[in-house]
Amino acid sequence: MKRKWLLVMISIMTAIVLAACGTSDKKEGSSGEAGADKEDGGGEFRIGMEAGYPPFNWTQQNDANGAVKIADNAEYAGGYDVQMAKKIAEGLGKELVIVKLEWDGLVPALQSNKIDAIIAGMSPTEERKKTIDFTENYYTSDFVMVIKKGSKYEGVKSIQDFSGAKITSQLNTSNYNVIDQIKDVNKQTAMESFPAMRVALEAGKIDGYVAERPEGISAAAANDKFTYVAFEEGFDTDLSNTSIAVGLRKEDANLDKINEILKGISEDDRQAIMEEAISQQPAAQ
């Protein structure tokens, strides 16, 4: 009789251990890798962004103004991209998770299933379309030149008025390539961030930098020594270089659904969200 009870107890303990292991494995898989639960109505929607490209995205210390906590980080992400990501995640019925990554690591992270999508102020260029897919645009802007107030470039109308000027833009973006359209421009080494370019501009190391209009507005709001030029004769560029879209893996099943969600956000709502992002971004950025 004792032997039978011993066998029963061993069987019960074994079942408990196996059940516990199975639960642990399931939790690990759902939190450590994107796409672990792709069923509608549940699971995570893991978004990759720099969290350092205001007003599209930035890092802050709390959840003010609807910011979302960054995964495996004590900080929060805010900005236009975050607010759009929240709407997409809600439409998909999933929990939004923000993953902070370096710009060059976004596409590899998407391809390796570490994230489900890139919502990071990324333009759907033809080069990028070779490796990932994009949704319809969720923001469209134009290129401006950020300069110092009182400089000889204030009030110019054409990009050619910057002939001979020291001009730069952000590293690994289409903004940097368009600088070549300025005749005899003194093209400077690309910089990693807008804060770095603002410092260089104020110090006189550069005469200006190319950016999208939201950054021009942001720079002028953050520093009264700055302004920006909106050109009458501007850069020759296609829509893919001045538009922003969600990056997805090739043949992602959520593509059509996300496009439907974006279609439901009016242009007025998008502009209102951008204006809020510009007014809310940290002054240091």
Side-chain angles (χ1 to χ4, degrees):
M1 181 65 71
K2 290 183 178 179
R3 183 176 180 182
K4 288 182 179 180
W5 275 108
L6 181 60
L7 290 174
V8 170
M9 292 301 295
I10 291 174
S11 298
I12 292 173
M13 293 302 296
T14 301
I16 292 172
V17 171
L18 289 175
C21 290
T23 301
S24 176
D25 290 343
K26 184 177 182 180
K27 287 182 179 179
E28 183 177 350
S30 64
S31 63
E33 181 177 335
D37 185 353
K38 286 294 185 180
E39 297 298 322
D40 288 339
E44 295 180 342
F45 188 51
R46 296 175 67 84
I47 298 304
M49 62 175 60
E50 284 181 287
Y53 184 58
F56 290 99
N57 53 77
W58 65 75
T59 300
Q60 61 186 59
Q61 301 304 313
N62 54 47
D63 62 356
N65 301 316
V68 175
K69 193 172 186 303
I70 299 170
D72 303 318
N73 197 307
E75 297 175 314
Y76 293 75
Y80 181 82
D81 288 332
V82 173
Q83 299 308 315
M84 296 299 285
K86 288 167 70 173
K87 291 181 178 293
I88 294 172
E90 181 180 1
L92 293 174
K94 297 182 181 296
E95 177 190 357
L96 177 63
V97 176
I98 303 294
V99 181
K100 185 175 181 178
L101 297 166
E102 294 294 330
W103 177 261
D104 290 343
L106 290 171
V107 172
L110 179 63
Q111 293 174 318
S112 62
N113 291 339
K114 292 182 180 179
I115 56 176
D116 294 307
I118 298 171
I119 304 184
M122 181 174 281
S123 298
T125 63
E126 292 303 317
E127 185 65 26
R128 292 181 182 132
K129 287 180 179 179
K130 293 177 182 178
T131 55
I132 63 175
D133 283 340
F134 285 94
T135 64
E136 297 297 322
N137 301 329
Y138 67 90
Y139 189 78
T140 302
S141 184
D142 58 345
F143 288 150
V144 300
M145 187 77 74
V146 182
I147 61 172
K148 289 180 72 172
K149 282 184 179 178
S151 74
K152 65 178 182 180
Y153 302 105
E154 189 172 5
V156 303
K157 303 298 183 181
S158 169
I159 61 172
Q160 301 309 332
D161 291 322
F162 284 90
S163 177
K166 295 178 290 185
I167 304 299
T168 188
S169 189
Q170 190 176 29
L171 183 68
N172 294 330
T173 65
S174 56
N175 303 9
Y176 188 62
N177 296 330
V178 299
I179 294 173
D180 296 328
Q181 296 178 25
I182 304 173
K183 185 178 179 181
D184 298 326
V185 68
N186 187 350
K187 189 176 183 181
Q188 302 293 294
T189 302
M191 298 187 181
E192 292 186 357
S193 66
F194 287 136
M197 286 183 275
R198 293 183 190 182
V199 170
L201 179 60
E202 186 164 13
K205 295 181 179 179
I206 57 174
D207 297 309
Y209 63 89
V210 180
E212 293 179 356
R213 187 183 291 266
E215 163 57 17
I217 298 172
S218 299
N223 190 328
D224 60 10
K225 296 179 181 178
F226 295 160
T227 186
Y228 66 93
V229 177
F231 298 106
E232 292 181 3
E233 299 178 24
F235 296 101
D236 182 15
T237 181
D238 58 48
L239 188 61
S240 67
N241 288 327
T242 55
S243 299
I244 303 301
V246 179
L248 297 170
R249 281 184 291 277
K250 288 289 186 179
E251 301 181 0
D252 191 307
N254 282 323
L255 177 61
D256 291 339
K257 177 64 175 177
I258 293 176
N259 279 334
E260 283 299 315
I261 296 169
L262 293 176
K263 190 181 296 184
I265 307 172
S266 70
E267 187 61 32
D268 287 343
D269 286 343
R270 298 182 191 199
Q271 291 303 324
I273 295 170
M274 177 55 77
E275 289 174 8
E276 285 186 0
I278 291 172
S279 66
Q280 293 169 355
Q281 65 182 330
Q285 300 189 56

